Amino acid sequence: MARVSVLGAGSWGTALSILLHENGHDVTLWSIMEEEVNMLIKERENKQKLPGIEIPDEIIITNNIEEAITDKSILVMAVPSKFVRNTAKLMKEYVSSDQVIVNVAKGLEDETLYTLVEVINDEMPDNKVAVLSGPSHAEEVSRKIPTTCVAGCTDENTAKIIQDLFMNTNFRVYTSTDVVGIEMGGALKNVIALAAGISDGIGYGDNAKAAIMTRGIAEISRLGVAMGANVQTFNGLSGIGDLIVTCTSMHSRNRRAGILIGKGYSLDKALEEVKMVVEGVFTAKAALDLANKYNVEMPIIKKVNEVLFTGKDTKKAVEELMIRDKKIEY
Ligand SMILES: NC(=O)c1ccc[n+]([C@@H]2O[C@H](COP(=O)([O-])OP(=O)(O)OC[C@H]3O[C@@H](n4cnc5c(N)ncnc54)[C@H](O)[C@@H]3O)[C@@H](O)[C@H]2O)c1
């Protein structure tokens, strides 16, 4: 049994804290939002984000960061990507170097172009930081629907510890030491999901979506490899696996936002309608900046940026992708 804290009480943090409790661990769930903590303590359910899923009484729910960090061996960071640095800043006053941090958020920091593990290590350089990623909607994990993920850490033993922590009969976990590959797959699939949603919203068919997914993973791999990742990781759960689920599921807020944009909504209107954080919008620009930095061609991600931030007509963007220079496939 491990003493674990999950930081961030949204859909994913709540689902993971229940899973960890069911695996026999001693779990604390922390949120920065006092009202959210009070609501969760009172209701023992997140009616808005994970309706119908009971949060067991044994899970301690707190707004106190010191209580969340002290005496825990593993700290799972489950806040949306844009809050990762600030949460790490709050944590670092209480963290000791033997605590393992597991990041489950997906994204990039747009000002620095850092991956989230780099952001966490920037704030807490002495801690081992692992990741858990893969096709894993909280709505399904919380209903014990079979799910597979990959636990990554540059230190293989730590990856195995994280595998053991999360794994059960409904949740199978593989290990990897390719943290950059896992992070880039998880972050950039959200941008490709926006493109897949836009294609669906325009009314294009399965052929177009399959093309976006296949060429999408090709461009994600190109950038990932330039950044030092292993190309095989992009064929795995955190690469093509997560891309498939995000581009095809209605649970995906990135795809839902894309559908609205494809139907003609402005970016602001689409975000207002989806209500939740659409991480692909934040990641799109950072991905393009990284593509320029590493001199890698990312045509789909470039067009998504033009649609989102310069108001380019969606059909025109697709047409421009279709008439690019002729290429060899691989
Ligand atoms: N939902 C999923 O199925 C799922 C699955 C895998 C990975 N993820 C990743 O996990 C991360 C969290 O996703 P989610 O679906 O739980 O998001 P969410 O929108 O449900 O989470 C919001 C939560 O973040 C916390 N929060 C809000 N503002 C904050 C702030 N300023 N500082 C710190 N914490 C704050 C609060 O607890 C809030 O409930 C994302 O990066 C997402 O990509 C989500």
Short mmCIF file of all heavy atoms in Angstrom, two decimals, residues 8-13 31-33 36 49 78-81 83 87 104-106 136-139 253 279, ligand 1:
data_model
loop_
_atom_site.label_atom_id
_atom_site.label_comp_id
_atom_site.label_asym_id
_atom_site.label_seq_id
_atom_site.Cartn_x
_atom_site.Cartn_y
_atom_site.Cartn_z
N GLY A 8 -5.67 17.97 -8.11
CA GLY A 8 -6.60 18.30 -9.19
C GLY A 8 -7.78 17.37 -9.10
O GLY A 8 -7.63 16.16 -9.20
N ALA A 9 -8.96 17.97 -8.84
CA ALA A 9 -10.15 17.14 -8.60
C ALA A 9 -11.17 17.31 -9.73
O ALA A 9 -12.37 17.38 -9.50
CB ALA A 9 -10.77 17.50 -7.26
N GLY A 10 -10.66 17.38 -10.95
CA GLY A 10 -11.55 17.37 -12.12
C GLY A 10 -11.91 15.93 -12.45
O GLY A 10 -11.76 15.03 -11.62
N SER A 11 -12.33 15.70 -13.70
CA SER A 11 -12.77 14.34 -14.07
C SER A 11 -11.65 13.33 -13.90
O SER A 11 -11.86 12.25 -13.33
CB SER A 11 -13.23 14.25 -15.53
OG SER A 11 -13.56 15.45 -16.07
N TRP A 12 -10.45 13.67 -14.37
CA TRP A 12 -9.38 12.66 -14.38
C TRP A 12 -8.83 12.44 -12.97
O TRP A 12 -8.62 11.31 -12.55
CB TRP A 12 -8.29 13.06 -15.38
CG TRP A 12 -7.34 11.99 -15.80
CD1 TRP A 12 -6.01 12.17 -16.06
CD2 TRP A 12 -7.59 10.59 -16.04
NE1 TRP A 12 -5.44 10.98 -16.44
CE2 TRP A 12 -6.39 9.99 -16.44
CE3 TRP A 12 -8.73 9.77 -15.94
CZ2 TRP A 12 -6.27 8.63 -16.75
CZ3 TRP A 12 -8.61 8.41 -16.24
CH2 TRP A 12 -7.41 7.86 -16.63
N GLY A 13 -8.61 13.52 -12.23
CA GLY A 13 -8.11 13.37 -10.87
C GLY A 13 -9.07 12.56 -10.01
O GLY A 13 -8.65 11.68 -9.24
N SER A 31 -7.78 19.87 -4.20
CA SER A 31 -8.13 20.86 -5.22
C SER A 31 -7.81 22.24 -4.69
O SER A 31 -7.97 22.52 -3.50
CB SER A 31 -9.62 20.78 -5.58
OG SER A 31 -9.96 21.90 -6.36
N ILE A 32 -7.42 23.12 -5.60
CA ILE A 32 -7.15 24.52 -5.23
C ILE A 32 -8.46 25.27 -4.95
O ILE A 32 -8.46 26.29 -4.29
CB ILE A 32 -6.35 25.23 -6.36
CG1 ILE A 32 -5.71 26.51 -5.86
CG2 ILE A 32 -7.23 25.51 -7.57
CD1 ILE A 32 -4.69 27.09 -6.82
N MET A 33 -9.56 24.70 -5.44
CA MET A 33 -10.84 25.40 -5.36
C MET A 33 -11.61 24.96 -4.11
O MET A 33 -12.08 23.83 -4.04
CB MET A 33 -11.66 25.13 -6.62
CG MET A 33 -10.98 25.67 -7.87
SD MET A 33 -11.49 24.81 -9.35
CE MET A 33 -13.04 25.60 -9.68
N GLU A 36 -15.10 23.65 -4.60
CA GLU A 36 -15.12 22.30 -5.16
C GLU A 36 -14.88 21.27 -4.06
O GLU A 36 -15.58 20.25 -3.97
CB GLU A 36 -14.04 22.19 -6.24
CG GLU A 36 -13.98 20.86 -6.94
CD GLU A 36 -13.01 20.90 -8.12
OE1 GLU A 36 -11.81 21.13 -7.92
OE2 GLU A 36 -13.45 20.70 -9.25
N LYS A 49 -18.92 16.64 -13.37
CA LYS A 49 -17.85 16.08 -14.22
C LYS A 49 -17.84 14.57 -14.29
O LYS A 49 -17.34 13.99 -15.25
CB LYS A 49 -16.49 16.58 -13.72
CG LYS A 49 -16.38 18.08 -13.92
CD LYS A 49 -15.02 18.60 -13.58
CE LYS A 49 -14.90 20.02 -14.09
NZ LYS A 49 -13.78 20.72 -13.53
N ALA A 78 -2.89 16.06 -11.61
CA ALA A 78 -4.01 15.89 -12.55
C ALA A 78 -4.74 17.20 -12.81
O ALA A 78 -5.96 17.21 -12.99
CB ALA A 78 -4.98 14.83 -12.00
N VAL A 79 -3.99 18.31 -12.80
CA VAL A 79 -4.61 19.60 -13.14
C VAL A 79 -4.46 19.83 -14.65
O VAL A 79 -3.52 19.32 -15.26
CB VAL A 79 -3.96 20.77 -12.35
CG1 VAL A 79 -4.20 20.62 -10.86
CG2 VAL A 79 -2.47 20.89 -12.64
N PRO A 80 -5.36 20.59 -15.27
CA PRO A 80 -5.18 20.90 -16.69
C PRO A 80 -3.80 21.53 -16.95
O PRO A 80 -3.23 22.19 -16.07
CB PRO A 80 -6.32 21.88 -16.98
CG PRO A 80 -7.37 21.54 -15.97
CD PRO A 80 -6.61 21.17 -14.73
N SER A 81 -3.27 21.33 -18.16
CA SER A 81 -1.88 21.67 -18.43
C SER A 81 -1.53 23.12 -18.10
O SER A 81 -0.44 23.40 -17.62
CB SER A 81 -1.54 21.36 -19.89
OG SER A 81 -2.45 21.96 -20.76
N PHE A 83 -2.35 24.88 -15.72
CA PHE A 83 -2.17 25.12 -14.28
C PHE A 83 -1.01 24.31 -13.70
O PHE A 83 -0.79 24.33 -12.49
CB PHE A 83 -3.45 24.79 -13.51
CG PHE A 83 -4.68 25.52 -14.00
CD1 PHE A 83 -5.86 24.84 -14.26
CD2 PHE A 83 -4.64 26.89 -14.21
CE1 PHE A 83 -6.98 25.51 -14.73
CE2 PHE A 83 -5.77 27.57 -14.67
CZ PHE A 83 -6.94 26.89 -14.93
N THR A 87 0.69 25.00 -9.98
CA THR A 87 0.49 23.95 -8.98
C THR A 87 1.85 23.45 -8.48
O THR A 87 2.04 23.26 -7.28
CB THR A 87 -0.34 22.79 -9.60
OG1 THR A 87 -1.55 23.35 -10.11
CG2 THR A 87 -0.68 21.73 -8.57
N VAL A 104 -0.18 13.50 -15.15
CA VAL A 104 -1.16 12.86 -16.05
C VAL A 104 -1.81 13.89 -16.98
O VAL A 104 -2.70 13.55 -17.76
CB VAL A 104 -2.24 12.07 -15.26
CG1 VAL A 104 -1.59 10.98 -14.43
CG2 VAL A 104 -3.09 12.98 -14.38
N ALA A 105 -1.38 15.16 -16.87
CA ALA A 105 -1.93 16.19 -17.76
C ALA A 105 -1.25 16.10 -19.13
O ALA A 105 -0.15 15.55 -19.25
CB ALA A 105 -1.69 17.58 -17.16
N LYS A 106 -1.91 16.64 -20.15
CA LYS A 106 -1.37 16.56 -21.51
C LYS A 106 -1.32 17.95 -22.12
O LYS A 106 -2.36 18.61 -22.21
CB LYS A 106 -2.27 15.65 -22.36
CG LYS A 106 -2.26 14.20 -21.86
CD LYS A 106 -3.33 13.35 -22.50
CE LYS A 106 -3.33 11.94 -21.94
NZ LYS A 106 -4.46 11.13 -22.39
N SER A 136 -7.69 6.95 -22.40
CA SER A 136 -8.27 6.69 -21.08
C SER A 136 -9.25 7.78 -20.67
O SER A 136 -8.91 8.64 -19.86
CB SER A 136 -7.13 6.61 -20.05
OG SER A 136 -6.28 7.73 -20.18
N HIS A 137 -10.44 7.74 -21.21
CA HIS A 137 -11.45 8.71 -20.77
C HIS A 137 -11.86 8.42 -19.34
O HIS A 137 -12.17 7.28 -19.00
CB HIS A 137 -12.70 8.62 -21.64
CG HIS A 137 -12.51 9.16 -23.01
ND1 HIS A 137 -12.01 10.43 -23.25
CD2 HIS A 137 -12.75 8.63 -24.22
CE1 HIS A 137 -11.95 10.64 -24.53
NE2 HIS A 137 -12.38 9.57 -25.15
N ALA A 138 -11.88 9.48 -18.53
CA ALA A 138 -12.28 9.33 -17.13
C ALA A 138 -13.66 8.69 -17.02
O ALA A 138 -13.91 7.87 -16.13
CB ALA A 138 -12.29 10.71 -16.48
N GLU A 139 -14.56 9.06 -17.93
CA GLU A 139 -15.94 8.55 -17.88
C GLU A 139 -15.94 7.02 -17.96
O GLU A 139 -16.79 6.36 -17.37
CB GLU A 139 -16.76 9.11 -19.05
CG GLU A 139 -17.00 10.62 -19.01
CD GLU A 139 -15.84 11.45 -19.56
OE1 GLU A 139 -14.74 10.89 -19.81
OE2 GLU A 139 -16.01 12.68 -19.70
N ARG A 253 -13.33 16.66 -25.69
CA ARG A 253 -13.73 18.07 -25.79
C ARG A 253 -13.00 18.77 -26.94
O ARG A 253 -13.51 19.71 -27.52
CB ARG A 253 -13.48 18.78 -24.47
CG ARG A 253 -12.13 18.52 -23.92
CD ARG A 253 -11.99 19.01 -22.51
NE ARG A 253 -12.11 17.94 -21.54
CZ ARG A 253 -11.63 18.03 -20.31
NH1 ARG A 253 -11.05 19.11 -19.89
NH2 ARG A 253 -11.77 17.03 -19.47
N GLU A 279 -7.65 21.80 -24.37
CA GLU A 279 -6.19 21.96 -24.29
C GLU A 279 -5.52 22.09 -25.65
O GLU A 279 -4.47 22.72 -25.78
CB GLU A 279 -5.58 20.81 -23.49
CG GLU A 279 -5.82 21.00 -22.01
CD GLU A 279 -5.33 19.86 -21.16
OE1 GLU A 279 -5.64 18.71 -21.52
OE2 GLU A 279 -4.69 20.11 -20.15
N1 LIG B 1 -10.68 13.68 -18.41
C1 LIG B 1 -10.02 12.67 -18.92
O1 LIG B 1 -10.64 11.70 -19.34
C2 LIG B 1 -8.53 12.68 -19.01
C3 LIG B 1 -7.85 11.51 -19.30
C4 LIG B 1 -6.47 11.51 -19.41
C5 LIG B 1 -5.77 12.70 -19.19
N2 LIG B 1 -6.46 13.83 -18.90
C6 LIG B 1 -5.67 15.05 -18.67
O2 LIG B 1 -5.74 15.35 -17.29
C7 LIG B 1 -5.71 16.77 -17.09
C8 LIG B 1 -6.92 17.17 -16.26
O3 LIG B 1 -8.07 16.87 -17.03
P1 LIG B 1 -9.54 16.83 -16.44
O4 LIG B 1 -10.39 16.19 -17.45
O5 LIG B 1 -9.54 16.27 -15.05
O6 LIG B 1 -9.84 18.40 -16.40
P2 LIG B 1 -11.01 19.14 -15.67
O7 LIG B 1 -11.34 20.33 -16.48
O8 LIG B 1 -12.10 18.21 -15.30
O9 LIG B 1 -10.22 19.60 -14.33
C9 LIG B 1 -10.44 20.77 -13.76
C10 LIG B 1 -9.88 20.71 -12.33
O10 LIG B 1 -8.62 21.30 -12.27
C11 LIG B 1 -8.48 21.94 -11.02
N3 LIG B 1 -8.17 23.37 -11.23
C12 LIG B 1 -8.94 24.32 -11.80
N4 LIG B 1 -8.33 25.51 -11.80
C13 LIG B 1 -7.10 25.30 -11.24
C14 LIG B 1 -5.99 26.14 -10.97
N5 LIG B 1 -6.00 27.44 -11.28
N6 LIG B 1 -4.91 25.58 -10.40
C15 LIG B 1 -4.87 24.26 -10.09
N7 LIG B 1 -5.92 23.43 -10.30
C16 LIG B 1 -7.00 23.94 -10.89
C17 LIG B 1 -9.80 21.80 -10.28
O11 LIG B 1 -9.70 20.73 -9.37
C18 LIG B 1 -10.77 21.49 -11.40
O12 LIG B 1 -11.85 20.69 -11.00
C19 LIG B 1 -5.72 17.38 -18.50
O13 LIG B 1 -4.43 17.74 -18.87
C20 LIG B 1 -6.22 16.25 -19.39
O14 LIG B 1 -5.70 16.32 -20.70
C21 LIG B 1 -7.81 13.85 -18.79
#
